[in-house]
Amino acid sequence: MCRNIHQLHNFEPPATRDEIQAAALQYVRKVAGSTRPSQANQEAFDRAVAAVAAATTELLDALVTTAPPKNREVEAAKARARAEKRYAG
């Protein structure tokens, strides 16, 4: 999985539209193999980002869980600790 795409489900507050859009953009970039499409591919790229964002929103709205919502700051601190350990030394 792409490290730039983060879990969006079961957070308080819920994922924002911007977070969903950013995840969709990262996914399409990864699949397309480029960060910036050519002019000839821009329309297809933009449609794909919109479709992935819509599917992500639909998925997040439909998911249910009994687990308590995660705290964004706590999860971010855990991710920083993992990264620090991974890149140390």
Side-chain angles (χ1 to χ4, degrees):
M1 181 162 175
C2 183
R3 288 187 182 148
N4 292 333
I5 300 176
H6 303 285
Q7 179 180 338
L8 298 177
H9 175 63
N10 198 29
F11 278 98
E12 192 57 46
T16 65
R17 221 178 239 181
D18 288 343
E19 290 172 313
I20 292 169
Q21 184 73 15
L25 179 60
Q26 286 298 321
Y27 175 80
V28 172
R29 284 176 172 171
K30 185 70 165 187
V31 171
S34 68
T35 57
R36 186 170 292 149
S38 67
Q39 286 183 336
N41 293 325
Q42 185 68 52
E43 187 178 331
F45 192 89
D46 292 342
R47 278 196 319 266
V49 171
V52 171
T56 301
T57 299
E58 182 180 332
L59 174 63
L60 291 174
D61 289 345
L63 290 175
V64 294
T65 185
T66 57
K70 296 176 185 173
N71 180 295
R72 289 180 186 279
E73 287 77 28
V74 170
E75 295 303 314
K78 287 180 188 178
R80 282 191 298 275
R82 284 191 305 270
E84 187 175 298
K85 184 176 179 182
R86 181 183 312 127
Y87 299 116

PDB file of all heavy atoms in Angstrom, residues 45-62:
ATOM      1  N   PHE A  45      -7.331  11.814 -15.934  1.00  0.00           N
ATOM      2  CA  PHE A  45      -6.748  11.841 -14.596  1.00  0.00           C
ATOM      3  C   PHE A  45      -7.730  12.478 -13.613  1.00  0.00           C
ATOM      4  O   PHE A  45      -8.011  11.921 -12.547  1.00  0.00           O
ATOM      5  CB  PHE A  45      -5.443  12.637 -14.651  1.00  0.00           C
ATOM      6  CG  PHE A  45      -4.576  12.534 -13.437  1.00  0.00           C
ATOM      7  CD1 PHE A  45      -3.621  11.540 -13.317  1.00  0.00           C
ATOM      8  CD2 PHE A  45      -4.696  13.463 -12.413  1.00  0.00           C
ATOM      9  CE1 PHE A  45      -2.791  11.464 -12.204  1.00  0.00           C
ATOM     10  CE2 PHE A  45      -3.887  13.395 -11.293  1.00  0.00           C
ATOM     11  CZ  PHE A  45      -2.936  12.391 -11.189  1.00  0.00           C
ATOM     12  N   ASP A  46      -8.289  13.636 -13.989  1.00  0.00           N
ATOM     13  CA  ASP A  46      -9.240  14.338 -13.115  1.00  0.00           C
ATOM     14  C   ASP A  46     -10.505  13.525 -12.889  1.00  0.00           C
ATOM     15  O   ASP A  46     -11.037  13.493 -11.771  1.00  0.00           O
ATOM     16  CB  ASP A  46      -9.592  15.707 -13.698  1.00  0.00           C
ATOM     17  CG  ASP A  46      -8.416  16.673 -13.689  1.00  0.00           C
ATOM     18  OD1 ASP A  46      -7.428  16.430 -12.947  1.00  0.00           O
ATOM     19  OD2 ASP A  46      -8.479  17.674 -14.428  1.00  0.00           O
ATOM     20  N   ARG A  47     -10.997  12.859 -13.934  1.00  0.00           N
ATOM     21  CA  ARG A  47     -12.185  12.004 -13.775  1.00  0.00           C
ATOM     22  C   ARG A  47     -11.896  10.853 -12.826  1.00  0.00           C
ATOM     23  O   ARG A  47     -12.733  10.493 -12.001  1.00  0.00           O
ATOM     24  CB  ARG A  47     -12.634  11.460 -15.129  1.00  0.00           C
ATOM     25  CG  ARG A  47     -13.477  12.400 -15.940  1.00  0.00           C
ATOM     26  CD  ARG A  47     -14.203  11.683 -17.086  1.00  0.00           C
ATOM     27  NE  ARG A  47     -13.401  10.689 -17.782  1.00  0.00           N
ATOM     28  CZ  ARG A  47     -12.694  10.925 -18.882  1.00  0.00           C
ATOM     29  NH1 ARG A  47     -12.680  12.127 -19.416  1.00  0.00           N
ATOM     30  NH2 ARG A  47     -12.012   9.949 -19.451  1.00  0.00           N
ATOM     31  N   ALA A  48     -10.712  10.281 -12.945  1.00  0.00           N
ATOM     32  CA  ALA A  48     -10.346   9.173 -12.069  1.00  0.00           C
ATOM     33  C   ALA A  48     -10.266   9.624 -10.617  1.00  0.00           C
ATOM     34  O   ALA A  48     -10.755   8.930  -9.717  1.00  0.00           O
ATOM     35  CB  ALA A  48      -9.026   8.559 -12.517  1.00  0.00           C
ATOM     36  N   VAL A  49      -9.674  10.779 -10.370  1.00  0.00           N
ATOM     37  CA  VAL A  49      -9.587  11.301  -8.998  1.00  0.00           C
ATOM     38  C   VAL A  49     -10.989  11.519  -8.441  1.00  0.00           C
ATOM     39  O   VAL A  49     -11.283  11.136  -7.301  1.00  0.00           O
ATOM     40  CB  VAL A  49      -8.753  12.598  -8.937  1.00  0.00           C
ATOM     41  CG1 VAL A  49      -8.847  13.242  -7.564  1.00  0.00           C
ATOM     42  CG2 VAL A  49      -7.299  12.314  -9.286  1.00  0.00           C
ATOM     43  N   ALA A  50     -11.874  12.105  -9.227  1.00  0.00           N
ATOM     44  CA  ALA A  50     -13.247  12.343  -8.773  1.00  0.00           C
ATOM     45  C   ALA A  50     -13.972  11.031  -8.485  1.00  0.00           C
ATOM     46  O   ALA A  50     -14.696  10.915  -7.478  1.00  0.00           O
ATOM     47  CB  ALA A  50     -14.009  13.156  -9.811  1.00  0.00           C
ATOM     48  N   ALA A  51     -13.783  10.029  -9.338  1.00  0.00           N
ATOM     49  CA  ALA A  51     -14.440   8.734  -9.141  1.00  0.00           C
ATOM     50  C   ALA A  51     -13.925   8.035  -7.884  1.00  0.00           C
ATOM     51  O   ALA A  51     -14.707   7.466  -7.108  1.00  0.00           O
ATOM     52  CB  ALA A  51     -14.232   7.849 -10.367  1.00  0.00           C
ATOM     53  N   VAL A  52     -12.613   8.077  -7.671  1.00  0.00           N
ATOM     54  CA  VAL A  52     -12.036   7.447  -6.482  1.00  0.00           C
ATOM     55  C   VAL A  52     -12.494   8.177  -5.223  1.00  0.00           C
ATOM     56  O   VAL A  52     -12.837   7.548  -4.212  1.00  0.00           O
ATOM     57  CB  VAL A  52     -10.496   7.382  -6.573  1.00  0.00           C
ATOM     58  CG1 VAL A  52      -9.880   6.933  -5.256  1.00  0.00           C
ATOM     59  CG2 VAL A  52     -10.077   6.448  -7.698  1.00  0.00           C
ATOM     60  N   ALA A  53     -12.544   9.492  -5.264  1.00  0.00           N
ATOM     61  CA  ALA A  53     -13.018  10.263  -4.104  1.00  0.00           C
ATOM     62  C   ALA A  53     -14.474   9.940  -3.803  1.00  0.00           C
ATOM     63  O   ALA A  53     -14.845   9.763  -2.631  1.00  0.00           O
ATOM     64  CB  ALA A  53     -12.833  11.754  -4.354  1.00  0.00           C
ATOM     65  N   ALA A  54     -15.300   9.822  -4.834  1.00  0.00           N
ATOM     66  CA  ALA A  54     -16.712   9.483  -4.633  1.00  0.00           C
ATOM     67  C   ALA A  54     -16.858   8.083  -4.051  1.00  0.00           C
ATOM     68  O   ALA A  54     -17.648   7.865  -3.120  1.00  0.00           O
ATOM     69  CB  ALA A  54     -17.473   9.604  -5.951  1.00  0.00           C
ATOM     70  N   ALA A  55     -16.097   7.142  -4.569  1.00  0.00           N
ATOM     71  CA  ALA A  55     -16.156   5.767  -4.059  1.00  0.00           C
ATOM     72  C   ALA A  55     -15.671   5.713  -2.610  1.00  0.00           C
ATOM     73  O   ALA A  55     -16.235   4.987  -1.783  1.00  0.00           O
ATOM     74  CB  ALA A  55     -15.320   4.839  -4.940  1.00  0.00           C
ATOM     75  N   THR A  56     -14.647   6.483  -2.293  1.00  0.00           N
ATOM     76  CA  THR A  56     -14.122   6.524  -0.930  1.00  0.00           C
ATOM     77  C   THR A  56     -15.148   7.102   0.032  1.00  0.00           C
ATOM     78  O   THR A  56     -15.359   6.569   1.122  1.00  0.00           O
ATOM     79  CB  THR A  56     -12.810   7.334  -0.879  1.00  0.00           C
ATOM     80  OG1 THR A  56     -11.865   6.728  -1.758  1.00  0.00           O
ATOM     81  CG2 THR A  56     -12.243   7.388   0.527  1.00  0.00           C
ATOM     82  N   THR A  57     -15.804   8.184  -0.382  1.00  0.00           N
ATOM     83  CA  THR A  57     -16.839   8.788   0.452  1.00  0.00           C
ATOM     84  C   THR A  57     -17.971   7.804   0.688  1.00  0.00           C
ATOM     85  O   THR A  57     -18.446   7.638   1.821  1.00  0.00           O
ATOM     86  CB  THR A  57     -17.372  10.076  -0.216  1.00  0.00           C
ATOM     87  OG1 THR A  57     -16.290  10.987  -0.353  1.00  0.00           O
ATOM     88  CG2 THR A  57     -18.469  10.714   0.616  1.00  0.00           C
ATOM     89  N   GLU A  58     -18.396   7.127  -0.361  1.00  0.00           N
ATOM     90  CA  GLU A  58     -19.463   6.130  -0.240  1.00  0.00           C
ATOM     91  C   GLU A  58     -19.050   5.012   0.714  1.00  0.00           C
ATOM     92  O   GLU A  58     -19.838   4.583   1.567  1.00  0.00           O
ATOM     93  CB  GLU A  58     -19.789   5.567  -1.622  1.00  0.00           C
ATOM     94  CG  GLU A  58     -20.917   4.567  -1.625  1.00  0.00           C
ATOM     95  CD  GLU A  58     -21.213   4.036  -3.017  1.00  0.00           C
ATOM     96  OE1 GLU A  58     -20.969   4.754  -4.008  1.00  0.00           O
ATOM     97  OE2 GLU A  58     -21.680   2.881  -3.099  1.00  0.00           O
ATOM     98  N   LEU A  59     -17.825   4.548   0.571  1.00  0.00           N
ATOM     99  CA  LEU A  59     -17.328   3.490   1.447  1.00  0.00           C
ATOM    100  C   LEU A  59     -17.304   3.941   2.901  1.00  0.00           C
ATOM    101  O   LEU A  59     -17.807   3.247   3.791  1.00  0.00           O
ATOM    102  CB  LEU A  59     -15.922   3.062   1.015  1.00  0.00           C
ATOM    103  CG  LEU A  59     -15.205   2.065   1.928  1.00  0.00           C
ATOM    104  CD1 LEU A  59     -15.946   0.738   1.979  1.00  0.00           C
ATOM    105  CD2 LEU A  59     -13.776   1.879   1.482  1.00  0.00           C
ATOM    106  N   LEU A  60     -16.726   5.106   3.161  1.00  0.00           N
ATOM    107  CA  LEU A  60     -16.623   5.589   4.537  1.00  0.00           C
ATOM    108  C   LEU A  60     -18.003   5.799   5.162  1.00  0.00           C
ATOM    109  O   LEU A  60     -18.195   5.537   6.354  1.00  0.00           O
ATOM    110  CB  LEU A  60     -15.809   6.886   4.592  1.00  0.00           C
ATOM    111  CG  LEU A  60     -14.320   6.736   4.275  1.00  0.00           C
ATOM    112  CD1 LEU A  60     -13.655   8.105   4.226  1.00  0.00           C
ATOM    113  CD2 LEU A  60     -13.633   5.831   5.267  1.00  0.00           C
ATOM    114  N   ASP A  61     -18.960   6.254   4.363  1.00  0.00           N
ATOM    115  CA  ASP A  61     -20.319   6.451   4.867  1.00  0.00           C
ATOM    116  C   ASP A  61     -21.003   5.132   5.202  1.00  0.00           C
ATOM    117  O   ASP A  61     -21.877   5.081   6.073  1.00  0.00           O
ATOM    118  CB  ASP A  61     -21.164   7.226   3.855  1.00  0.00           C
ATOM    119  CG  ASP A  61     -20.759   8.685   3.736  1.00  0.00           C
ATOM    120  OD1 ASP A  61     -20.015   9.185   4.620  1.00  0.00           O
ATOM    121  OD2 ASP A  61     -21.174   9.326   2.753  1.00  0.00           O
ATOM    122  N   ALA A  62     -20.631   4.056   4.515  1.00  0.00           N
ATOM    123  CA  ALA A  62     -21.286   2.767   4.691  1.00  0.00           C
ATOM    124  C   ALA A  62     -20.636   1.893   5.766  1.00  0.00           C
ATOM    125  O   ALA A  62     -21.276   0.994   6.305  1.00  0.00           O
ATOM    126  CB  ALA A  62     -21.312   2.011   3.369  1.00  0.00           C
TER     127      ALA A  62
END
